[in-house]
Amino acid sequence: MKNARQKKNQLAGMEQLMMKLEHERISDYRMATSRKDFTQRQLTVCLALLVLLFPGWSSPAAAQQGTTTTNAPTQPAMKVPDIPATFKHPGLLNNMEELQFIKQKIQAGEEPWKSAFDQMKETKYASLNYKPHPHENVSMGILGKGGGPGGVYDEDDDVIAAYTQALMWIFTDNEQYAKNAVEIFNAWTILQGSGGAGWYLQPSWAGSLWPEAAELIRATYPKWSADDIAKFSAMLDRAILPVLHNQMAYGNRELSVCNALVAIGVFNNDRAAFTEGITHWVSYVPCWIYLTSDGPTPRKADYWLTSPSDDDLAKIDAGLFPDVKQSWIYSDQTTFTYDIKRKLGNDNGMARKPTLDLWNEAPPEAYVDGLCAETYRDLGHCDLGFSQMINVAEIAWHQGIDLYGLEAKRITAFMEFENFLRIGVPIPAQYYSVNPSGIGPSTFEIAYNHYHNRMGVDLPKTEALIQLLRPCLKQVPITPFGWDYLKMVPGVRAGGMGGPANLDTAWEALTHAELNAKGNLPAETGAVAGTTAPGAGPH
């Protein structure tokens, strides 16, 4: 019994030490002058520990000497755009010129703006009597596991309501909406952090929309006091940014992290947070959407080894904090990422998996331009990741950075391929097993507005899907999953349709449908007219 207890204690100590070493590897690896030497040093320490505890043990690497493995291609050196010295406000998903244009269209009773506005107005989020439901800590489970005291649904409702109330204020001039939004923001300044199995997911989702709502009120409602704004900004610094910093995540989850980092970066005038979000986006998008030009297998994500170091980020934020060493940049990451009790929701193991294992068993014949790492998981998660990815691009666009152009071929190929599976046309047999899992929160309106309306790119399959979705704007009140599509062969279609208000995107048709169509607002940069999206043809 004593020997068993000693062995158990040894194993626990070894696990904690290896977790500590893994954390050091992620945070320090980027700063090592020789990656190979650094990795070898860490590996040698771990192997020595194993041999010490288990004298008869030999490493898998030693057992496999003489064999060779093939890795997926790594991506070329990143070209991260220059980050602006100052941010434009409001400058997240919409600027003021766009919001005023939408307001005029609503007042004139023009479509699709009138129906989209009427639908938003009839929801609980637009109630003139809305009251917040704040929590000091929020806990989110995953598939029924790793939950806690809760609060997640209250935060979901309140952040969507804050954004809705902000839009209602701008579009109606009824000050009560602005007061309601301010009351929500001020109530949630008590938030200290998040827990449960979804410990970083909830902050990434809520952290994407909190600053969007607050950005609109700060720009249009001077009665939100500077002191209260500072408290709300401090909440984002305290409760959300430390969780997202250096977070290693997969698929839609990482794109959600990028969205929150970039959005908070603009609202807080925090160039380091913005830089980290943009860097991760540039690094990960080519690893989430496949192009045949990548080779026979997708690119392998480096999971932020190319990300700026903490010291680099601190230099970017010089002068923003009284003591940058006490800021989110130098927060204790082990508190979040390697807490054993929270390990369920962390994706650090993804970096050690072969690339093809992350593509959900997609067959070789499925790899065409626009396939996504989550296509063979289900289309709903593709929608989720896509909406967050496009939110980052739209925010960057308003800040003078063209991420859309940087990855135009991948993004438009994704749009046409994924929507090709849904519009009821015959599809190849290898895609029959794709799980439709409903239409997620993305309606593709933001991306379609950019590529088609701003840039003149022909996207026939995306347009076909949008035309299927827009009639739902006339559903008042909203019936979530109101379309009862059945999975069908030879078309996938969708099992249902999510509501238009979610944490990752809300009221997208209202805020972006036909925004830059011919005769409406001009694009902010020169358009390239008459082109066809790469990969837009039949698959």
Side-chain angles (χ1 to χ4, degrees):
M1 181 69 70
K2 182 178 180 181
N3 289 338
R5 187 181 301 111
Q6 288 177 338
K7 181 73 72 174
K8 183 177 180 181
N9 291 337
Q10 286 176 329
L11 288 171
M14 184 180 68
E15 181 181 13
Q16 291 177 2
L17 180 56
M18 291 181 73
M19 291 167 73
K20 183 172 184 268
L21 288 170
E22 176 72 359
H23 170 69
E24 291 174 352
R25 183 186 71 82
I26 290 172
S27 60
D28 295 343
Y29 191 67
R30 297 170 305 206
M31 296 181 286
T33 55
S34 169
R35 292 188 176 190
K36 183 177 180 181
D37 291 345
F38 184 83
T39 305
Q40 187 62 46
R41 178 164 56 86
Q42 295 283 54
L43 181 61
T44 300
V45 173
C46 291
L47 293 180
L49 282 169
L50 288 169
V51 171
L52 180 65
L53 290 171
F54 307 103
W57 181 86
S58 62
S59 74
Q64 294 177 5
Q65 280 185 351
T67 64
T68 58
T69 57
T70 343
N71 257 335
T74 54
Q75 61 174 324
M78 291 192 305
K79 297 179 181 178
V80 179
D82 292 335
I83 305 301
T86 58
F87 293 118
K88 302 173 186 176
H89 299 287
L92 292 178
L93 293 180
N94 289 105
N95 60 31
M96 193 51 63
E97 182 184 13
E98 292 168 343
L99 294 168
Q100 290 301 320
F101 168 82
I102 297 165
K103 182 177 182 178
Q104 292 169 8
K105 292 296 183 181
I106 293 169
Q107 291 174 342
E110 295 186 32
E111 296 292 354
W113 301 279
K114 181 182 182 302
S115 292
F117 174 78
D118 288 344
Q119 187 183 62
M120 180 178 73
K121 184 177 67 174
E122 294 302 318
T123 65
K124 66 179 181 180
Y125 307 118
S127 170
L128 284 167
N129 299 314
Y130 193 92
K131 295 297 179 184
H133 314 84
H135 293 258
E136 288 191 8
N137 290 281
V138 172
S139 183
M140 173 188 172
I142 296 178
L143 299 178
K145 300 178 182 178
V152 62
Y153 297 120
D154 287 335
E155 185 176 26
D156 290 355
D157 280 348
D158 283 0
V159 67
I160 295 171
Y163 182 49
T164 305
Q165 298 278 333
L167 290 175
M168 291 296 297
W169 150 241
I170 291 170
F171 295 148
T172 68
D173 296 321
N174 185 333
E175 188 181 2
Q176 186 59 47
Y177 290 118
K179 290 180 177 179
N180 290 347
V182 168
E183 184 179 2
I184 295 171
F185 298 140
N186 291 348
W188 277 91
T189 58
I190 67 171
L191 182 65
Q192 301 298 315
S194 299
W199 57 275
Y200 80 85
L201 277 175
Q202 180 65 17
S204 69
W205 291 337
S208 298
L209 198 53
W210 276 128
E212 174 66 35
E215 177 88 345
L216 297 182
I217 291 296
R218 182 175 62 183
T220 61
Y221 191 60
K223 293 182 182 179
W224 189 20
S225 72
D227 285 346
D228 286 341
I229 292 172
K231 290 176 183 177
F232 184 79
S233 176
M235 180 274 286
L236 299 176
D237 278 339
R238 176 185 68 246
I240 297 181
L241 284 181
V243 183
L244 305 183
H245 177 45
N246 285 332
Q247 176 55 40
M248 184 182 294
Y250 165 75
N252 71 88
R253 303 191 283 271
E254 175 54 32
L255 295 167
S256 299
V257 171
C258 294
N259 190 355
L261 284 168
V262 168
I264 294 172
V266 172
F267 179 77
N268 277 3
N269 290 303
D270 189 327
R271 295 178 68 247
F274 187 87
T275 298
E276 184 170 357
I278 294 291
T279 303
H280 289 188
W281 191 98
V282 172
S283 171
Y284 192 63
V285 168
C287 307
W288 192 65
I289 300 173
Y290 174 76
L291 291 176
T292 53
S293 58
D294 294 333
T297 54
R299 291 183 180 180
K300 180 178 177 61
D302 73 4
Y303 286 100
W304 329 149
L305 300 179
T306 53
S307 184
S309 69
D310 290 352
D311 289 344
D312 288 337
L313 292 174
K315 290 175 184 177
I316 294 172
D317 268 358
L320 185 63
F321 300 100
D323 181 1
V324 73
K325 289 290 185 180
Q326 301 300 316
S327 73
W328 62 269
I329 297 172
Y330 291 102
S331 57
D332 181 4
Q333 295 289 287
T334 58
T335 302
F336 304 108
T337 310
Y338 295 100
D339 186 326
I340 295 175
K341 294 179 181 179
R342 297 176 175 179
K343 194 167 57 174
L344 175 65
N346 189 42
D347 288 349
N348 69 81
M350 295 292 182
R352 295 188 290 273
K353 287 188 176 183
T355 298
L356 290 179
D357 286 2
L358 305 179
W359 283 67
N360 294 285
E361 301 181 354
E365 61 272 21
Y367 282 84
V368 297
D369 286 351
L371 184 76
C372 167
E374 297 182 84
T375 300
Y376 275 80
R377 180 185 185 184
D378 60 67
L379 296 184
H381 282 92
C382 294
D383 284 348
L384 179 59
F386 179 78
S387 62
Q388 300 280 14
M389 178 182 69
I390 292 301
N391 285 352
V392 174
E394 186 73 1
I395 293 169
W397 179 263
H398 285 122
Q399 297 301 328
I401 298 173
D402 188 9
L403 295 181
Y404 284 117
L406 188 66
E407 291 296 349
K409 187 173 182 179
R410 287 184 195 276
I411 295 173
T412 54
F414 171 95
M415 293 168 69
E416 290 295 275
F417 171 68
E418 296 289 326
N419 291 325
F420 159 70
L421 299 177
R422 287 180 152 159
I423 56 178
V425 298
I427 63 175
Q430 61 264 33
Y431 304 114
Y432 289 176
S433 62
V434 170
N435 179 3
S437 185
I439 288 181
S442 173
T443 61
F444 291 87
E445 292 278 13
I446 297 178
Y448 183 77
N449 178 67
H450 178 82
Y451 286 112
H452 182 72
N453 294 333
R454 287 175 182 157
M455 309 310 295
V457 178
D458 185 23
L459 297 165
K461 297 175 180 63
T462 304
E463 181 180 9
L465 181 76
I466 286 175
Q467 294 307 321
L468 286 172
L469 296 182
R470 280 191 186 166
C472 83
L473 295 176
K474 298 185 183 297
Q475 291 184 10
V476 177
I478 296 171
T479 304
F481 300 99
W483 284 17
D484 188 20
Y485 274 154
L486 298 177
K487 182 176 180 181
M488 53 185 285
V489 174
V492 174
R493 302 296 289 270
M497 186 187 69
N502 298 272
L503 288 183
D504 59 301
T505 188
W507 316 121
E508 196 175 284
L510 174 62
T511 59
H512 287 84
E514 308 303 331
L515 195 60
N516 299 104
K518 186 176 180 180
N520 293 337
L521 290 177
E524 293 163 301
T525 61
V528 180
T531 59
T532 300
H539 292 272

